[in-house]
Amino acid sequence: MKPAPFDYVRPASVREACGILAEAGGGATVIAGGQTLMPLLNLRMSQPFILVDIAGIEDIQGVSAVPGGLRVGAMTRQADGLTDALLAARLPAMVMALEHVGHHQTRNRGTVGGSIALGEPAAEMPATAVALGATMEIASLRGIRQVAAADFYLGPYMTALEPDELLTGVIYPHWPEGHLVLFREVARRPGDFALLGMTGAAVLEDGAVARIGLAWFGMGPTPIRMVQAENALLGQALTDIDPDTVARLAVADAAPFDDHHVSAEYRRTVGHRIFRRTLREALGLKEAV
């Protein structure tokens, strides 16, 4: 099929893009990499009056150090994130998640901001932002506002973005060198959206968990922070951690559901198993005899 007719604009600045969005009054759609949007347009599941192409806005591209962390521009290509030295050194959890986003071909066009702004419940990038405590940088003609990743997702494909707003970047807080990455997903085939998965990071000091951030994807209508599991781990000596008990708390934080892929019970059972295994491997815990 072919998309419904629309006007196409390619703004050169964030302000120009926000001006177009404001004037459109909800009739505009932003295109970044287009890996999700183009099929929706061709199927006429999305019929905007104006398509706003933000690929030419330079100051929302790339990774840069900012006070207290790293800023990843919304137009940063996923493939570029995989080879970025700053991300590799300071946010390996994000790099690990990026390796599982789509396929090599789609990552060449897909963007970090596009994946995060879409709000797909089974996607890796939104959950990683939640787990690592990221903050969304959102622009409009009214100025810049910041929204915590945990507050950004309201439901499946629903975010805190207003029609006249543009996601310009994601700010990840500093995680100390040498922190641990906890990531695992289950998918039918490499590149498919995950049936379920977990992502996060941990910091160990003196044989205990000094900092922890964990989130589920594909386990509810939005990325879900594992609050009970984090609280159970924080401050605990490695010798006192029971992976099975913490795994039960992690699943209790989730909201598994039935769909045409698998059942809620499958998600509960497999979620418990991958959490237990990932935690044990990441923290170097011995398996119970």
Side-chain angles (χ1 to χ4, degrees):
M1 294 183 65
K2 295 182 179 180
F6 57 80
D7 291 330
Y8 171 86
V9 291
R10 188 179 170 94
S13 68
V14 169
R15 183 165 184 81
E16 182 183 356
C18 291
I20 296 168
L21 293 174
E23 186 176 348
T29 294
V30 172
I31 182 170
Q35 298 305 290
T36 298
L37 180 60
M38 291 308 299
L40 294 179
L41 291 174
N42 288 334
L43 292 170
R44 300 201 176 193
M45 295 174 68
S46 178
Q47 298 188 34
F49 300 121
I50 304 172
L51 197 62
V52 184
D53 186 346
I54 61 172
I57 304 177
E58 293 185 1
D59 58 359
I60 60 172
Q61 302 179 26
V63 180
S64 58
V66 296
L70 291 180
R71 177 184 182 271
V72 180
M75 266 303 302
T76 303
R77 303 288 180 187
Q78 294 158 1
D80 292 337
L82 280 172
T83 60
D84 188 88
L86 269 177
L87 284 183
R90 295 170 59 176
L91 280 180
M94 182 176 173
V95 177
M96 175 72 78
L98 277 170
E99 291 175 353
H100 292 78
V101 177
H103 302 272
H104 172 75
Q105 294 87 343
T106 62
R107 290 193 293 266
N108 285 328
R109 293 296 301 171
T111 64
V112 172
S115 178
I116 284 178
L118 178 64
E120 160 62 52
E124 299 86 356
M125 285 291 94
T128 301
V130 170
L132 297 181
T135 300
M136 308 305 182
E137 178 187 271
I138 299 170
S140 70
L141 292 181
R142 300 182 300 280
I144 303 291
R145 70 183 180 110
Q146 295 187 342
V147 177
D151 299 325
F152 185 69
Y153 297 102
L154 309 178
Y157 308 104
M158 296 174 59
T159 72
L161 280 174
E162 298 292 339
D164 65 338
E165 291 183 322
L166 177 68
L167 178 70
T168 53
V170 185
I171 301 170
Y172 295 85
H174 173 71
W175 284 78
E177 184 178 353
H179 68 266
L180 305 176
V181 174
L182 296 92
F183 184 94
R184 189 174 253 110
E185 71 172 43
V186 178
R188 292 185 182 278
R189 297 163 298 188
D192 282 5
F193 278 119
L195 299 174
L196 72 153
M198 59 173 288
T199 181
V203 177
L204 302 184
E205 291 180 3
D206 300 323
V209 179
R211 183 177 174 188
I212 187 79
L214 299 166
W216 290 112
F217 51 99
M219 285 283 272
T222 65
I224 296 176
R225 191 84 184 242
M226 305 182 199
V227 178
Q228 293 185 71
E230 290 177 352
N231 290 338
L233 289 168
L234 191 61
Q236 288 296 305
L238 298 184
T239 54
D240 295 335
I241 295 173
D242 177 10
D244 193 70
T245 297
V246 182
R248 285 197 293 270
L249 293 173
V251 173
D253 281 323
F257 55 94
D258 297 320
D259 62 14
H260 62 284
H261 296 297
V262 294
S263 66
E265 184 58 30
Y266 175 94
R267 289 185 163 94
R268 289 189 194 93
T269 302
V270 176
H272 180 277
R273 291 177 181 175
I274 68 170
F275 182 93
R276 182 179 58 194
R277 181 183 304 169
T278 304
L279 183 70
R280 191 176 65 243
E281 292 175 355
L283 301 188
L285 306 175
K286 293 181 179 180
E287 187 169 4
V289 178

